[in-house]
Amino acid sequence: MLTEFIFLFLVAIFAGFFGALVGIGGGVIIVPALTLLFHLPIHMAIAASIVSVIATSIAGARSYVDQQITNVRLGMFLEISTTGGALIGALIGVLMHGYVLSLIFGALIFYMAIMSYRSRNKEEKMIDSGAYDAMQLDGVAKKLQLEGTYHDVALGRDVKYNATKPIAGSLVASLAGVGSGLLGIGGGVIKVAAMNTMMSIPMKASVATSKFMIGVTAATSAVVYFIAGGINVFVVAPVALGTMLGATGGSIVMNKLHSKVIKMIFFLLMIYLGYEMIAKGLSMGYNINLPGLM
Amino acid sequence: MAIDEKHLEAEIQDINKIVSIILATGMYTTMFFYIFGLILVFARGTPIPRLSQQYFHSFGDFFAALFSLHARAFLYLGTITLILTPVSRVIISIFAFRREKDYKYVGVTTIVFLIILVSVIVGSVFKISVG
C-alpha cells in the first residue's frame, strides 16, 4: 500500500515538473499513467487528473506571478473563452460522437505542433529585433490594454510586447476550454499556441499566463466531477501533492531555459498528443487500431 | 481615455500581489489537509478504495469523521480547498479591480465568475439526467 502511494507521488512530481516547463496542467501525463500503470478506471483517472491539474496550476501560476512573467489581464480576458468553452464542451460532448472530437483535436494539435516547430528559432530573433514590442495593439486588445513586460533570465533583459488578434486568439482559447470540459485536461497546449502563434505574445509570457488560466478552467470541470461523486480523494491526495512539488520546481527552471528548448519540448509533446488523439478517434469510430506509443 | 501607463503598472503590481497571496494560502491549506490525511492513512492502515464513493451522507457524518480523525475527512477537506482556490481567485479579483477603478476588468472578471456558476448548474442538471 505504501509503495502505491509513493508510486503515485513520483509520477505526479514528473507530470507537474514537465507541465510547468511547457505551460500545461500535466493531465495528459497523469491520465495515461493512472490507467495504464495503476489500472484505475478511466473516469476515476480523469477526475483525479482534473483536480491535480488545478494543483499544478496553483503552484506554477504563483511562481510565475511572483516572477512577474504572467500577464494577469490577458489571462482574465481569455478566461471568458476558456470557461465558456468548458461549458460548451460539456454540452457538445453529449451531442457529438467522441471519435469525431478526438480526430478534430488530433488534427488541431498537429497543426499547432508544426507552427511551433517552424517558429522555434524565430522567438529569440523576434525578441532581439524588438518585433514583439513593435506589434500594434488592435481592436479589443487596445481597449483592454493587453500589453506587458517581463524579465527574461536566459536572455538577461526585459521583453516588451503588444497583443494582436484578440478575437481570433480567444476563439482558439475557447477550444482549450472545450477540451477541458470533454476530456478532463487543462488545455494548456492550446492556450499557449493561441497566445504565442496567434496573439504575438512571447513564449514565456504565454506559458506563464496559460498556467494562470488553467486553474479556473479545470476548477469548472472539477466541480462537476465533485458534484457527480467521481473523485477518489485517496488517489487525488498523493497525486495533487506530487504535482504541486513538481510544478514549483519546473516553474523555477523555466525562465532559465532558452525558449528554443521549451519550444522543442512543446513540439515533441504535441506530436505525441496529436498521435494519441487520432489513434483514439480511429479506434473508437472505425475500429482501426494504430500501434500505441506508450 | 485609457488608464495611463504609471497607473497600469501600479495596478498590475497590486493585482499580482493579491493573486499570489490567494494562491499561496490555498496551496498551503490544501497541502496541510492532504499531508495530515495521508499521515492518518498510514497510521491507521486505511486501505485505498478502488472505487470512488459517497464519502459522507450528511454534514453531521462529515463532522463526526473529522473529529474522530478519519483520514477521508481531511482528504476531502483538502480537495474542496484545492477546487475553491482558483474560484476564490476570480471572486477576489473582481473586488481588486474595482478598488483600482478599472471597471472594464471588473466586467471581464464578473463574466468569468458567472460562467463558472452556470457550469455548476449545468453539472447538476447533467447529474440528474445521467442518474
Side-chain angles (χ1 to χ4, degrees):
Chain A
M1 187 195 75
L2 187 63
T3 50
E4 278 186 328
F5 273 109
I6 291 170
F7 171 73
L8 281 174
F9 188 63
L10 291 179
V11 167
I13 289 179
F14 173 77
F17 184 84
F18 196 70
L21 274 192
V22 296
I24 64 165
V28 289
I29 303 167
I30 291 167
V31 173
L34 291 184
T35 48
L36 300 178
L37 302 173
F38 204 64
H39 307 296
L40 283 179
I42 182 89
H43 285 105
M44 194 193 286
I46 288 175
S49 160
I50 202 75
V51 176
S52 61
V53 162
I54 304 176
T56 62
S57 175
I58 293 171
R62 187 176 154 245
S63 170
Y64 291 142
V65 167
D66 286 345
Q67 294 177 63
Q68 308 199 12
I69 312 174
T70 310
N71 189 329
V72 172
R73 301 160 70 89
L74 175 66
M76 299 273 185
F77 167 67
L78 289 179
E79 272 167 11
I80 295 180
S81 312
T82 59
T83 52
L87 182 59
I88 294 163
L91 287 169
I92 296 177
V94 183
L95 303 171
M96 205 187 244
H97 284 294
Y99 75 92
V100 180
L101 289 159
S102 293
L103 292 175
I104 296 171
F105 265 92
L108 181 78
I109 290 170
F110 267 130
Y111 169 74
M112 282 167 175
I114 293 161
M115 292 296 283
S116 171
Y117 184 76
R118 281 174 54 184
S119 65
R120 72 197 180 283
N121 291 320
K122 218 175 83 186
E123 175 81 8
E124 281 170 17
K125 267 186 214 141
M126 277 185 79
I127 291 174
D128 274 344
S129 63
Y132 280 121
D133 192 17
M135 289 288 173
Q136 291 293 319
L137 286 172
D138 52 10
V140 184
K142 194 169 187 178
K143 277 210 186 85
L144 293 175
Q145 291 160 298
L146 297 177
E147 63 207 32
T149 311
Y150 74 94
H151 181 74
D152 196 307
V153 173
L155 299 178
R157 55 171 289 193
D158 286 347
V159 178
K160 272 193 78 169
Y161 57 90
N162 291 317
T164 60
K165 300 192 202 113
I167 300 300
S170 43
L171 284 178
V172 176
S174 69
L175 291 178
V178 175
S180 177
L182 273 174
L183 311 166
I185 58 171
V189 172
I190 301 167
K191 292 185 178 95
V192 170
M195 284 182 273
N196 187 237
T197 53
M198 301 208 68
M199 301 181 70
S200 320
I201 308 292
M203 188 66 183
K204 288 182 181 178
S206 303
V207 167
T209 307
S210 161
K211 216 69 200 132
F212 175 77
M213 290 192 283
I214 285 171
V216 173
T217 317
T220 312
S221 320
V223 167
V224 176
Y225 279 103
F226 199 71
I227 293 171
I231 289 176
N232 184 335
V233 294
F234 288 86
V235 174
V236 166
V239 172
L241 277 177
T243 48
M244 273 185 189
L245 268 183
T248 307
S251 53
I252 292 165
V253 174
M254 183 275 249
N255 201 9
K256 299 193 173 83
L257 292 178
H258 282 275
S259 54
K260 199 174 19 176
V261 179
I262 300 174
K263 281 211 169 185
M264 269 321 281
I265 299 173
F266 189 66
F267 169 72
L268 292 174
L269 181 74
M270 285 201 289
I271 290 293
Y272 165 70
L273 283 180
Y275 181 83
E276 289 285 308
M277 289 302 288
I278 286 175
K280 196 178 170 191
L282 289 178
S283 129
M284 280 194 299
Y286 306 98
N287 251 328
I288 302 169
N289 288 308
L290 299 179
L293 291 181
M294 238 183 101
Chain B
M1 186 58 211
I3 305 163
D4 63 89
E5 217 154 277
K6 255 217 178 95
H7 185 99
L8 186 62
E9 186 91 350
E11 174 188 308
I12 290 170
Q13 298 276 350
D14 284 354
I15 303 282
N16 276 359
K17 204 181 275 172
I18 294 166
V19 168
S20 178
I21 291 170
I22 299 166
L23 296 182
T25 312
M27 188 167 105
Y28 291 123
T29 314
T30 303
M31 284 173 99
F32 171 77
F33 286 135
Y34 274 167
I35 291 170
F36 193 72
L38 287 177
I39 290 172
L40 291 175
V41 169
F42 291 129
R44 296 179 164 225
T46 320
I48 307 177
R50 280 274 150 181
L51 294 169
S52 41
Q53 63 210 21
Q54 183 107 36
Y55 291 102
F56 308 103
H57 302 289
S58 64
F59 276 110
D61 190 17
F62 169 71
F63 284 112
L66 192 68
F67 290 125
S68 50
L69 298 181
H70 279 296
R72 61 193 167 104
F74 289 90
L75 300 179
Y76 195 79
L77 263 184
T79 308
I80 291 178
T81 319
L82 188 56
I83 295 175
L84 287 184
T85 301
V87 179
S88 55
R89 191 264 283 164
V90 171
I91 297 169
I92 294 171
S93 300
I94 298 175
F95 294 103
F97 280 120
R98 209 180 74 170
R99 206 183 61 183
E100 306 286 341
K101 298 197 169 38
D102 190 343
Y103 296 110
K104 270 180 234 160
Y105 275 89
V106 172
V108 167
T109 317
T110 306
I111 294 172
V112 173
F113 178 62
L114 290 178
I115 294 172
I116 295 174
L117 279 187
V118 173
S119 293
V120 173
I121 297 163
V122 167
S124 317
V125 171
F126 276 136
K127 188 191 168 192
I128 294 162
S129 70
V130 169

